[in-house]
Amino acid sequence: MEPGRAGCLLLFLLLPALGAAALGEFDPYRVLGVGRSSSQADIKKAYKRLAREWHPDKNKDPGAEDKFIQISKAYEILSNEEKRANFDRYGDAGESQGFAQQQHRQFHRFHDGFYFDESFFHFPFNSERRDTSDEKYLLHFSHYINEIVPDSFKKPYLIKITSDWCFSCIHIEPVWKEVAQELEALGAGIGVVHAGYERRLAHHLGAHSTPTLLGLINGKITFFHNAVVRENLRQFVENLLPGNLVEKITDKNYIRFLSDWKKDNKPHVLLFDHMPVVPLLYKLTAFAYRDYLSFGYVYVGLRGTEELSSQYNINVYTPTMMIFKEHIDRPADVVQAREMKKQLIDDFLSQNKFLMVARLTSQRLFQELCPVKKSHRQRKHCVVLLTGEGEKFAEAYEAFLTFAVANTKDTLKFVHIYSHRQPEFADALLMDEEKYHGKSAVVILERRNSAGKIAYKALEEAWQGSKEDNFILLDLLDQLRTDSGLLSSETIVADLNDELAPMFLIRWFYSTLDYISDCWDSLFHSNWREMMPLLSLLFSALFILFGTVIVQAFSDSSDTRDSPPSGKEETTAKTEKNDANFSKESNSRIPKKGFVEVTELTDINYTSNLVRLRPGHMNVVLILSNSTKTPLLQKFALEVYTFTGSSSLHFSFLSLDKHREWLEYLLEFAQDAAPIPNQYDKHFLERDYTGYVLALNGHKKYFCLFKPHRSGDEGGTLGSCEDHDALQHTEARGKPSCSPGSRSIKNKLHKLSFWMERLLEGSLQRFYIPSWPALD
């Protein structure tokens, strides 16, 4: 044999070992701590034990999150026989095409020359080798609920839902990486959800396929439906923001805009730039600081801004940001830079969030401006002017403002309050003394705790703004630096009223607009799964409305044509009519069968009764135990009897004593959006699932869940025994038990018939699963 051909043959024989080495040292058997001959039941037990131990919500170890991801990935491989076989053979759980086909792809025209494709050792779908740029953006359920949702009230989030083995995810990856870096630098939030490991979060977000892109702002989710290109994603994030964040300012409206500080109780910000549209960075900044500042934008290239630019001596070639407070003729602070960066803007705005003498309009503002002292060195005092509105009090306010500007310090905050708008606060400090009636007063205070306790001292006389008043106040502030006992009076003040809160009708109007917007978006983007309950309710209401109108019309016409019958004839006619209607209704609800066929779901009929169930068919399964089998089956037969006429419904029961693990695996996909308490406690394996009913759609791989009612929910009806005649109607064998224990067991299926009606309407919540587990 020739040396070259012998070397090629040797390399051909070593390729499996090289492929396994290229994949790294990830061994799912070692991660789960099971042997290669372990059964699926052993693998499932090991996974559940390790998942409970290393779940990030339960385990606070820094490496718990990575460990949990490895455990989930290992179980994903070993629970699938096809992936497990591929791993056993080739050290990889990839495509099921076999190594022979890979050989055919990697070696082209072997006899004519050796061809090697370096992509043989690169598997982009492998979670161990996915793009590391997404690692810092990964979201988990508790992190999303506790941190991301509250933070969405300060900045919008762009979130990507991805998974392994997703071809489309790879196609959008370059665009996503570029846009994520750009938007993050501008101040938007970025998140990535891996549907394989964060199934619960993906379901909570409403993502039923990958890749899915969505936006989150103010706790509200909006789906992205356009082509994944840079311009569309930027516009999508920009459209998430409210439209009234930034006002366009010209020579005609700048005086009105800057003068609104009295009404808004906020500093006003002006950005001068030569861009015709408001930059996205500025909009994101306005959204983040909208509770503290009002924002305006001046396009210096627009005709009609010359007076404004000249008034404040603006350099039209350099972006300039100005903050105006109580005086609109001159800015309180200015920053200029050829390229406005987010960090520069944040530092500039965070130092100018409040007016020089802000008005206390809410408890939140009071807590920020006058924080509770944490230590002696961090003691801060508030100088409060209690005054009124109108020209009568203008002179006293202007004098107080002048004094505040001249004596601004880090340990002092100057604020004012309208006494007639916050009467409880004013009465607690001034004690309703006659000398302050109709006049202004100044109080120095210090908050002692968050419950409203404060220490304070009021000026002896009313504040008029004279030089003598200024000297007295200045002397008290000098004494306060050395004598902490100067604030000798103590009291408890109630929380301040929110003066700027919108009226109820306005809040209701905006809530209605948001709801209509959500419905419109869902309706025109084929989001039918979320729209089914609303559509069902809408069509039901229309059916009832038009049905009532038609019946009333026929009833009125018959009354005008027929003469009224005698009393006896009328009674007879009504009786016959009621009997006819009852017979007609009964005939429409009579099932095709005279009995309820309920079969046990076992490993023998599991494939035919569920996994390969025909499209459109569902299997309604009752969960019972050996001790509750007879009473639950009797009650189950009564509740579902009227629905046995449908050929698409099958009825079965499952033994909890035999198949508890199978049931618990399914119930993990039916977790609520809120955090689940005590899920992994010591009694988890002893939970009573008898009386649960699952409607399983084998073709579409989802199920609906009925949870039994707790004892005592329905008062006297729960204690009643079932009618023996009703059981005979279903041809159920055996006499029902009337013991208290039997009654409590049967009460678990109370209102199951109402749940069945909602099932047929399609209005129940659906829980999707990746594949049906084996019924061992």
PDB file of all heavy atoms in Angstrom, residues 72 184 186 234 364 619:
ATOM      1  N   SER A  72     -29.627  19.962  32.531  1.00  0.00           N
ATOM      2  CA  SER A  72     -30.734  19.986  31.569  1.00  0.00           C
ATOM      3  C   SER A  72     -30.298  19.489  30.198  1.00  0.00           C
ATOM      4  O   SER A  72     -31.030  18.751  29.524  1.00  0.00           O
ATOM      5  CB  SER A  72     -31.289  21.408  31.471  1.00  0.00           C
ATOM      6  OG  SER A  72     -31.749  21.861  32.722  1.00  0.00           O
ATOM      7  N   GLU A 184     -27.581  48.603  23.202  1.00  0.00           N
ATOM      8  CA  GLU A 184     -27.111  48.592  24.588  1.00  0.00           C
ATOM      9  C   GLU A 184     -26.282  49.843  24.876  1.00  0.00           C
ATOM     10  O   GLU A 184     -26.371  50.426  25.967  1.00  0.00           O
ATOM     11  CB  GLU A 184     -26.294  47.339  24.861  1.00  0.00           C
ATOM     12  CG  GLU A 184     -25.907  47.178  26.323  1.00  0.00           C
ATOM     13  CD  GLU A 184     -25.098  45.917  26.563  1.00  0.00           C
ATOM     14  OE1 GLU A 184     -24.411  45.468  25.624  1.00  0.00           O
ATOM     15  OE2 GLU A 184     -25.141  45.394  27.690  1.00  0.00           O
ATOM     16  N   LEU A 186     -26.773  52.675  23.584  1.00  0.00           N
ATOM     17  CA  LEU A 186     -27.683  53.821  23.619  1.00  0.00           C
ATOM     18  C   LEU A 186     -28.540  53.850  24.881  1.00  0.00           C
ATOM     19  O   LEU A 186     -29.183  54.861  25.163  1.00  0.00           O
ATOM     20  CB  LEU A 186     -28.594  53.806  22.391  1.00  0.00           C
ATOM     21  CG  LEU A 186     -27.909  53.980  21.034  1.00  0.00           C
ATOM     22  CD1 LEU A 186     -28.931  53.897  19.915  1.00  0.00           C
ATOM     23  CD2 LEU A 186     -27.150  55.303  20.968  1.00  0.00           C
ATOM     24  N   ARG A 234     -34.191  48.668  15.022  1.00  0.00           N
ATOM     25  CA  ARG A 234     -34.066  49.994  15.646  1.00  0.00           C
ATOM     26  C   ARG A 234     -35.426  50.690  15.688  1.00  0.00           C
ATOM     27  O   ARG A 234     -35.797  51.297  16.699  1.00  0.00           O
ATOM     28  CB  ARG A 234     -33.061  50.852  14.870  1.00  0.00           C
ATOM     29  CG  ARG A 234     -31.612  50.602  15.212  1.00  0.00           C
ATOM     30  CD  ARG A 234     -30.716  51.535  14.397  1.00  0.00           C
ATOM     31  NE  ARG A 234     -31.088  52.931  14.588  1.00  0.00           N
ATOM     32  CZ  ARG A 234     -30.527  53.728  15.482  1.00  0.00           C
ATOM     33  NH1 ARG A 234     -29.568  53.260  16.268  1.00  0.00           N
ATOM     34  NH2 ARG A 234     -30.905  54.988  15.587  1.00  0.00           N
ATOM     35  N   ARG A 364     -43.153  60.230  47.452  1.00  0.00           N
ATOM     36  CA  ARG A 364     -41.910  59.756  46.830  1.00  0.00           C
ATOM     37  C   ARG A 364     -40.891  60.875  46.719  1.00  0.00           C
ATOM     38  O   ARG A 364     -39.702  60.689  47.004  1.00  0.00           O
ATOM     39  CB  ARG A 364     -42.226  59.183  45.444  1.00  0.00           C
ATOM     40  CG  ARG A 364     -40.995  58.715  44.668  1.00  0.00           C
ATOM     41  CD  ARG A 364     -41.325  58.407  43.225  1.00  0.00           C
ATOM     42  NE  ARG A 364     -41.787  59.584  42.520  1.00  0.00           N
ATOM     43  CZ  ARG A 364     -40.974  60.488  41.984  1.00  0.00           C
ATOM     44  NH1 ARG A 364     -39.655  60.367  42.116  1.00  0.00           N
ATOM     45  NH2 ARG A 364     -41.464  61.524  41.329  1.00  0.00           N
ATOM     46  N   ASN A 619     -57.777  12.870  24.452  1.00  0.00           N
ATOM     47  CA  ASN A 619     -58.012  11.835  25.452  1.00  0.00           C
ATOM     48  C   ASN A 619     -58.139  12.524  26.807  1.00  0.00           C
ATOM     49  O   ASN A 619     -57.206  13.183  27.274  1.00  0.00           O
ATOM     50  CB  ASN A 619     -56.856  10.834  25.471  1.00  0.00           C
ATOM     51  CG  ASN A 619     -57.227   9.539  26.184  1.00  0.00           C
ATOM     52  OD1 ASN A 619     -58.120   9.525  27.031  1.00  0.00           O
ATOM     53  ND2 ASN A 619     -56.531   8.460  25.854  1.00  0.00           N
TER      54      ASN A 619
END
